[in-house]
């Protein structure tokens, strides 16, 4: 039990913080650009999936809208239900960030401080409650980073690909893994083929976009 004490404490802190945010903002009117994200999710909920993917009024990839539209079919379509899903994703992200810092610092106090400094700022607070695609992207990036640290190439490639399907800027992660693998190969004289292959494979979503159609491809570049 002592082994998981820090994680349990952080989970309690996270739950209280997110519950407090939900209490004040769960039913508040759409915030800033949140409105057009909600409208696009509704479009995916009501329309034919393939047709909607080919022609929807956003410049970001479709996975975020697909997942949230599936959620609305389970929970019903409302700003509250969408925010509940987003807060749930936030809770997971906050735990992954803490675990990441705990893994690399091996120090409980440093992990608490670094996680708090990262999370308790206006940007993180905003995306933790309001409906933007940053939160889902962060989830996949954190899972990808932790998979890389744990030397799990397949999981790294999978989460890289999923992250790219949420926000195209996530491409920097698999490119970084490729660069790291190539640079390390110069030092140890042995190339890490598994991570190179997994990272290159995660970039194949661009070929998928080309296959699906020009409109979707334009959203990936």
């Amino acid at each position: 039990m002592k082994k998981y004490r820090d994680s349990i404490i952080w989970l309690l802190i996270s739950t209280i913080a997110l519950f407090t945010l939900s209490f004040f903002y769960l039913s508040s009117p759409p915030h800033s650009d949140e409105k057009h994200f909600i409208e696009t999710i509704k479009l995916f909920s009501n329309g034919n999936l393939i047709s909607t993917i080919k022609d929807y009024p956003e410049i970001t990839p479709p996975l975020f809208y697909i997942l949230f539209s599936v959620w609305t079919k389970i929970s019903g379509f409302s700003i509250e239900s969408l925010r509940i899903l987003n807060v749930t994703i936030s809770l997971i992200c906050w735990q992954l960030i803490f675990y990441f810092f705990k893994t690399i610092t091996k120090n409980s106090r440093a992990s608490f401080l670094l996680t708090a400094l990262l999370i308790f700022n206006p940007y993180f607070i905003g995306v933790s409650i309001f409906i933007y695609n940053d939160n889902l992207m962060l989830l996949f990036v954190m899972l990808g980073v932790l998979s890389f640290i744990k030397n799990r190439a397949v999981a790294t490639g999978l989460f890289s690909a999923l992250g790219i399907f949420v926000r195209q800027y996530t491409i920097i992660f698999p490119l970084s893994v490729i660069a790291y693998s190539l640079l390390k190969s110069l030092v140890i004289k042995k190339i890490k083929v598994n991570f190179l292959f997994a990272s290159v494979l995660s970039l194949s979503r661009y070929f998928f976009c080309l296959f699906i159609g020009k409109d979707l491809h334009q959203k990936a570049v």
Side-chain angles (χ1 to χ4, degrees):
M1 189 69 177
K2 187 177 180 181
K3 180 181 178 182
Y4 301 104
R5 182 188 61 186
D6 295 335
S7 298
I8 293 171
I9 292 172
W10 178 251
L11 176 60
L12 290 172
I13 293 172
S14 304
T15 303
I16 292 169
L18 288 168
F19 179 81
T20 304
L21 283 173
S22 299
F23 179 80
F24 286 105
Y25 295 109
L26 194 66
S27 299
S28 63
H31 176 269
S32 187
D33 290 337
E34 191 183 22
K35 184 177 180 180
H36 73 79
F37 281 99
I38 295 171
E39 290 172 348
T40 306
I41 293 168
K42 190 172 185 179
L43 184 66
F44 272 82
S45 297
N46 297 333
N48 176 271
L49 180 60
I50 299 301
S51 299
T52 306
I53 286 177
K54 288 186 176 182
D55 185 25
Y56 61 100
E58 295 291 342
I59 60 171
T60 52
L63 184 57
F64 168 80
Y65 310 106
I66 294 171
L67 289 180
F68 272 69
S69 67
V70 170
W71 170 254
T72 64
K73 295 182 186 300
I74 300 170
S75 64
F77 192 95
S78 68
I79 193 169
E80 290 84 3
S81 68
L82 292 172
R83 284 177 177 165
I84 286 171
L85 176 58
N86 198 51
V87 168
T88 303
I89 293 171
S90 299
L91 183 63
I92 299 170
C93 286
W94 289 23
Q95 309 321 301
L96 293 175
I97 292 169
F98 178 78
Y99 180 70
F100 168 75
F101 283 127
K102 188 76 180 293
T103 301
I104 63 175
T105 66
K106 309 296 183 182
N107 184 292
S108 298
R109 290 185 180 179
S111 301
F112 278 110
L113 179 60
L114 289 168
T115 308
L117 284 173
L118 181 63
I119 285 175
F120 294 121
N121 68 73
Y123 167 76
F124 258 96
I125 294 299
V127 299
S128 293
I129 183 67
F130 299 122
I131 305 159
Y132 299 105
N133 54 10
D134 305 60
N135 216 22
L136 187 61
M137 175 191 71
L138 177 63
L139 174 65
F140 291 133
V141 169
M142 288 307 306
L143 288 170
V145 169
L146 290 169
S147 297
F148 179 74
I149 291 173
K150 297 295 183 180
N151 203 35
R152 295 170 181 168
V154 174
T156 301
L158 172 63
F159 292 124
S160 295
L162 291 173
I164 293 171
F165 265 110
V166 176
R167 289 287 293 270
Q168 56 267 55
Y169 310 115
T170 313
I171 193 175
I172 192 65
F173 175 55
L175 289 178
S176 298
V177 173
I178 291 171
Y180 173 82
S181 300
L182 291 174
L183 288 172
K184 192 171 183 180
S185 71
L186 298 176
V187 177
I188 64 174
K189 307 302 180 183
K190 183 180 178 182
I191 198 163
K192 300 192 77 171
V193 177
N194 55 345
F195 278 101
L196 276 175
F197 178 74
S199 298
V200 170
L201 193 62
S202 72
L203 300 176
S204 63
R205 65 165 296 267
Y206 288 93
F207 297 102
F208 173 77
C209 291
L210 282 170
F211 179 76
I212 288 292
K214 182 179 178 182
D215 290 336
L216 182 56
H217 175 62
Q218 289 173 344
K219 298 176 188 299
V221 295

